[in-house]
Amino acid sequence: MHTPIIAANWKMHKTVSEAVDFISGLKKEEATFSDRRVIVAPPFTALRPAADALSGSSIGLAAQNMSYAESGAFTGEVSAGMITDAGCTYVIIGHSERRHLFGETNEQINKKLVLAFKEGLKPIFCIGETLQEREADETISLIRQQITEGLINISAGDIDSLIIAYEPVWAIGTGRTATPEQAEEVHRVIKETVQEISDKGGTPTVPVIYGGSVNEQTIESLMNQDNIDGVLVGGASLKLESFLNIIRFRASVLPEGE
Ligand code: PEP
């Protein structure tokens, strides 16, 4: 069993001061979730101030995206080296909003993953099917394709520091969550597929987290599944109180006074 991973994707929300205030509040409560791996992904503009605010804390910092190029004439892009320089240890790659709103392909995502590993970043690699693909019974083949094409030329050693986020597109920001059983089935296939690719045999080890309208009410039943190692939370991570309630699902260390 992995340490539960609870990651916040703030998307295009929060100014610098809003991000720093949130992080200060989160840090104050850190002793109540020392048995969880908590990660926040602010927008690019808030990364450096967020890194400074996180100093002395074990909460991880992620960028929400990065360029598939190392440097050069790519106006508006931000490189792996730049986000590392801004204080990130993690980077979200292949989020469905990048794939579907900005046309990112498996090939581009693979380039990003290669560069992220080269830079020593830990990628949170997002995959997931659309409603149309689910209804056409293509979920498993699509997922396997996203994994195999995304992980071309990635070594088994690098795969050891990978986190995969299964995010069904139809569940993101829609208020519609996959049932724990639906998510569990796909998570199992993801782990088996990654294990095949890294040619390891034995029990799959890659942590797979679920994303798609996770909230304080759904966290517990999702985390009760054997192959759900954590969650990637969008909307419900924007308010400190609701994010803390998600982090502290089945809390083993309760805040003072509770
Ligand atoms: C996400 O952005 O990765 C996400 C899962 O969003 P939401 O929780 O709002 O569905």
Side-chain angles (χ1 to χ4, degrees):
M1 181 65 192
H2 292 278
T3 301
I5 299 169
I6 316 287
N9 175 16
W10 290 344
K11 312 194 188 200
M12 201 166 70
H13 297 286
K14 296 200 188 293
T15 60
V16 169
S17 64
E18 287 166 348
V20 168
D21 284 353
F22 186 110
I23 286 169
S24 308
L26 191 60
K27 251 177 94 173
K28 277 195 200 122
E29 300 296 324
E30 205 173 340
T32 67
F33 53 82
S34 52
D35 57 349
R36 322 266 137 129
R37 191 163 149 202
V38 174
I39 303 166
V40 291
F44 285 131
T45 46
L47 287 178
R48 171 42 64 189
D52 293 340
L54 282 170
S55 152
S57 149
S58 37
I59 298 165
L61 184 65
Q64 297 174 15
N65 183 29
M66 54 168 263
S67 175
Y68 61 74
E70 216 160 352
S71 65
F74 295 94
T75 302
E77 290 290 282
V78 176
S79 72
M82 290 168 183
I83 59 175
T84 309
D85 184 50
C88 293
T89 335
Y90 297 89
V91 57
I92 297 175
I93 292 182
H95 190 278
S96 77
E97 285 150 17
R98 301 297 319 167
R99 291 178 188 263
H100 296 283
L101 300 176
F102 300 97
E104 266 185 29
T105 62
N106 286 340
E107 193 186 346
Q108 290 169 339
I109 289 163
N110 172 247
K111 285 186 183 169
K112 293 184 183 200
L113 286 166
V114 170
L115 284 180
F117 282 121
K118 189 172 167 200
E119 189 58 42
L121 286 159
K122 296 184 175 88
I124 301 173
F125 170 31
C126 301
I127 55 177
E129 81 288 0
T130 61
L131 187 57
Q132 209 183 6
E133 287 156 346
R134 175 160 281 266
E135 286 174 348
D137 215 8
E138 291 167 0
T139 301
I140 299 302
S141 60
L142 190 274
I143 291 290
R144 287 180 66 90
Q145 186 181 7
Q146 287 177 333
I147 297 172
T148 43
E149 293 183 9
L151 295 182
I152 291 170
N153 292 329
I154 308 279
S155 70
D158 281 341
I159 288 176
D160 280 344
S161 56
L162 183 69
I163 298 171
I164 295 197
Y166 168 56
E167 300 207 304
V169 180
W170 48 272
I172 298 181
T174 57
R176 211 181 138 180
T177 320
T179 64
E181 294 73 24
Q182 279 172 325
E184 169 69 9
E185 186 197 354
V186 182
H187 280 223
R188 209 183 46 249
V189 172
I190 293 170
K191 291 186 181 196
E192 287 164 5
T193 309
V194 173
Q195 197 74 352
E196 272 165 42
I197 289 178
S198 56
D199 204 17
K200 274 190 168 161
T203 314
T205 50
V206 69
V208 182
I209 63 179
Y210 169 81
S213 299
V214 174
N215 59 33
E216 297 158 73
Q217 282 73 44
T218 53
I219 180 71
E220 180 90 37
S221 55
L222 287 163
M223 292 305 297
N224 276 340
Q225 301 296 317
D226 288 346
N227 289 295
I228 299 185
D229 302 307
V231 285
L232 179 53
V233 191
S237 74
L238 291 171
K239 290 217 164 70
L240 181 59
E241 203 186 320
S242 68
F243 188 51
L244 277 169
N245 286 337
I246 292 171
I247 295 174
R248 292 174 182 148
F249 78 95
R250 222 188 299 131
S252 54
V253 186
L254 288 169
E256 242 170 82
E258 283 185 35

